[in-house]
Amino acid sequence: MLSLKNAAIIVIDMQYDFVGEEAVIPCKADAGLIESNQKLLAYARKSGVPVIYTQEIHRKSHVDFGRELDRSEPIHCVEGTHGVEIIEELKPEESDYVIQKRRYSAFFQTDLQVLLQGLGVKTIILTGAATDVCVRATATDAQQHDYYVVVPRECVAGTSTKQHEAALEHIDYVLGQIVSVDDLSFE
């Protein structure tokens, strides 16, 4: 078991525009993605580990997409739409934190760093979507801010199987550790 004292879980963008049948940017994952996240979050909450959600959100005018639409990405996570909402199966609980973000990394121009410092976090466990985009961008910034990064393989999904596996390999090589959800212990 990997001991994760002083850890927090960051659930990246588990929103309808990325996960589910109507996703405009469908993320590929093992069939157990949601169940694995539910299991991890229940264990974390029971152990007193902070749970932080990110929610990608863009203005209706699209002025805050930046370079994100330069390629083939469709419009997504627009305020007021169903797609911006966190999926029902993983809705935040009252004790959880929600960070809204307008870029890939959860650190970029948000108050995540202030929250993590206030919580005394040293290790970040990343779950969610997309492994090859927002999860990897957040992992990079976390490592650059001197956090230990852990990614449970069963708890992330990528934009394609190839990109997902490449991102996991990259994270494991230089940014943190890829583990099984069953390898985690918060004691």
Side-chain angles (χ1 to χ4, degrees):
M1 284 269 176
L2 178 62
S3 178
L4 296 170
K5 286 188 171 188
N6 302 316
I9 295 177
I10 302 178
V11 181
I12 305 286
D13 302 349
M14 288 296 280
Q15 298 164 256
Y16 287 107
D17 271 354
F18 301 121
V19 182
E21 293 177 18
E22 68 270 9
V24 295
I25 303 175
C27 291
K28 291 19 171 210
D30 294 334
L33 172 70
I34 292 170
E35 294 80 14
S36 293
N37 272 279
Q38 288 171 327
K39 175 183 173 181
L40 178 61
L41 294 175
Y43 181 57
R45 290 178 182 122
K46 180 180 155 204
S47 302
V49 173
V51 175
I52 303 165
Y53 285 80
T54 69
Q55 181 182 33
E56 184 173 336
I57 188 166
H58 298 286
R59 291 178 175 86
K60 291 177 184 178
S61 64
H62 306 170
V63 299
D64 53 11
F65 271 101
R67 303 276 53 98
E68 207 167 317
L69 300 179
D70 285 356
R71 290 165 186 78
S72 60
E73 245 179 56
I75 300 296
H76 59 280
C77 297
V78 175
E79 62 188 358
T81 66
H82 178 67
V84 78
E85 299 300 322
I86 295 169
I87 63 172
E88 187 63 37
E89 300 91 335
L90 294 174
K91 285 280 186 204
E93 293 187 1
E94 193 172 321
S95 62
D96 299 336
Y97 303 90
V98 178
I99 302 285
Q100 291 188 336
K101 65 185 187 67
R102 301 191 189 277
R103 294 292 192 268
Y104 297 144
S105 173
F107 284 91
F108 187 76
Q109 296 186 355
T110 70
D111 66 348
L112 178 61
Q113 177 70 2
V114 172
L115 177 60
L116 293 171
Q117 287 176 341
L119 294 169
V121 171
K122 304 285 184 220
T123 300
I124 293 174
I125 302 154
L126 296 174
T127 76
T131 316
D132 50 313
V133 186
C134 295
V135 172
R136 183 172 51 194
T138 301
T140 298
D141 283 352
Q143 190 265 354
Q144 292 297 295
H145 281 91
D146 293 327
Y147 291 101
Y148 297 103
V149 176
V150 177
V151 178
R153 172 181 288 281
E154 305 91 337
C155 294
V156 289
T159 59
S160 72
T161 302
K162 179 182 174 183
Q163 294 289 13
H164 171 73
E165 291 300 327
L168 289 174
E169 185 177 327
H170 174 75
I171 291 168
D172 199 49
Y173 173 66
V174 73
L175 301 174
Q177 274 185 282
I178 304 301
V179 300
S180 169
V181 71
D182 294 326
D183 293 335
L184 302 176
S185 170
F186 298 108
E187 299 168 3

